[in-house]
Amino acid sequence: AGVATLADTTPSPTDPRLRLWRGDITTLATDAIVNAANSQMLGCFVPCHGCIDNAIHTYAGVQLRLECARLMTGQEEEPTGNAKITKAYNLPCRYILHTVGPIISGAVTQANRELLASCYRNCLRLASENGCHTVDFPSISTGIYHFPLDQAAQIAVREITAYLADHPEITRVRMVCFDSRTRAAYAAALAAQRAKAEEKAAREALLERIRNGAVTPDDRTSLREIEQVAFGKAPSSKLLRDLGMEATPEKAHALLLKLGVWDNQVDPWPAR
Ligand code: ADP
């Protein structure tokens, strides 16, 4: 009881090292858990507050506040997007990575998105530098900091996946989802990421068949759609660029004729 195993987690379809788990991050025996801290970085001071910062400081014990105070000596605030590492004291993990997520009031800006991304990147970098192999994240900024959950989930999944691709030393990253709404948002972000990866692979395969002169009837249909030829639009030069060819409307026209995608010989650019 109270012990979470990998069998309880849902792996990402694009990298099984990234997993989703619903539960309380303070219960996890892992190399490092991430705390969504505030910029004072001394722990939440509101008694019985429901934030993750309060849960982590409560269960780690007062020594954690003392270490945070030492780390923050001479520094009033921790900049948003940065991260610091401490020991974990009474918690079953080895380290705590403290990061300050962006606070959202009004519309999300590109700067907010970049700061949230850097929270994930900086925590993972600190984990690697400190010999951690397993890292567990909460959904940073989506509680009282009000980052819209769906967007935050997409950013988290994208950043973690990108980091894992270059860092084999990290063997498992668990996204800890505290409630079912958060769990659903992260599951949707993983599904969207897989759909995007499949779309990219399908296009690569299509380009390869064009290069090899091996387009199928299905390819012709999808190329017509991609190029909007069926709607009488001029074929794009993107296709040529992706094939590494000189991108001019004439070349695009000639290629589509050759592939049998464009079957009428009428000049599609009469205004030229
Ligand atoms: P922020 O200020 O970054 O928004 P919050 O603590 O308000 O931080 O919430 C961040 C996320 O952490 C929310 O999804 C919240 O439900 C979740 N959370 C709160 N307590 C825990 C916990 N013990 N374990 C895991 N996640 C938690």
Side-chain angles (χ1 to χ4, degrees):
V3 177
T5 70
L6 280 189
D8 303 325
T9 61
T10 310
S12 157
T14 42
D15 188 332
R17 286 177 295 166
L18 170 60
R19 288 165 176 269
L20 304 187
W21 179 70
R22 185 171 166 198
D24 179 346
I25 207 166
T26 62
T27 63
L28 296 175
T30 177
D31 288 341
I33 65 167
V34 174
N35 180 18
N38 62 41
S39 61
Q40 278 82 50
M41 235 185 228
L42 299 174
C44 170
F45 285 103
V46 183
C48 303
H49 195 231
C51 70
I52 190 169
D53 196 20
N54 198 23
I56 287 176
H57 276 269
T58 300
Y59 294 112
V62 74
Q63 290 153 300
L64 177 60
R65 292 208 197 252
L66 296 173
E67 183 173 354
C68 285
R70 277 197 303 278
L71 282 179
M72 292 301 288
T73 306
Q75 181 183 349
E76 288 229 329
E77 286 195 312
E78 179 72 359
T80 304
N82 282 17
K84 278 188 170 26
I85 188 165
T86 65
K87 289 190 280 185
Y89 303 98
N90 298 332
L91 289 178
C93 54
R94 287 171 59 211
Y95 295 105
I96 304 168
L97 305 163
H98 305 259
T99 189
V100 185
I103 301 175
I104 307 302
S105 49
V108 180
T109 64
Q110 186 54 20
N112 296 145
R113 286 189 276 268
E114 277 161 19
L115 286 169
L116 185 63
S118 73
C119 287
Y120 285 93
R121 277 199 302 273
N122 281 323
C123 286
L124 287 165
R125 181 184 49 75
L126 258 189
S128 292
E129 285 169 10
N130 287 277
C132 298
H133 303 295
T134 61
V135 184
D136 291 357
F137 280 96
S139 177
I140 299 167
S141 275
T142 65
I144 49 176
Y145 282 5
H146 293 298
F147 205 112
L149 184 54
D150 293 341
Q151 273 196 62
Q154 279 169 25
I155 292 168
V157 162
R158 185 191 71 211
E159 291 303 321
I160 294 168
T161 307
Y163 191 88
L164 286 176
D166 296 336
H167 292 270
E169 75 279 10
I170 304 290
T171 56
R172 195 203 63 224
V173 173
R174 202 164 18 188
M175 267 312 310
V176 178
C177 307
F178 201 48
D179 50 41
S180 58
R181 199 177 137 255
T182 304
R183 177 80 178 62
Y186 280 81
L190 287 182
Q193 189 190 46
R194 177 173 58 178
K196 219 167 139 190
E198 283 174 354
E199 202 175 292
K200 199 171 157 213
R203 182 162 171 86
E204 277 308 314
L206 171 63
L207 293 176
E208 200 50 37
R209 287 195 294 279
I210 294 175
R211 284 188 200 100
N212 298 334
V215 291
T216 65
D218 280 354
D219 288 341
R220 289 201 179 91
T221 310
S222 65
L223 269 169
R224 275 204 180 89
E225 278 163 19
I226 293 169
E227 298 300 313
Q228 295 190 302
V229 169
F231 307 106
K233 300 259 174 66
S236 75
S237 45
K238 182 174 188 310
L239 181 63
L240 288 161
R241 275 199 306 273
D242 289 349
L243 287 165
M245 295 163 68
E246 194 197 333
T248 64
E250 291 78 4
K251 292 245 157 128
H253 189 199
L255 176 73
L256 295 177
L257 274 175
K258 189 172 145 221
L259 295 172
V261 172
W262 186 277
D263 43 23
N264 87 52
Q265 300 281 335
V266 176
D267 184 347
W269 302 280
R272 198 168 71 246

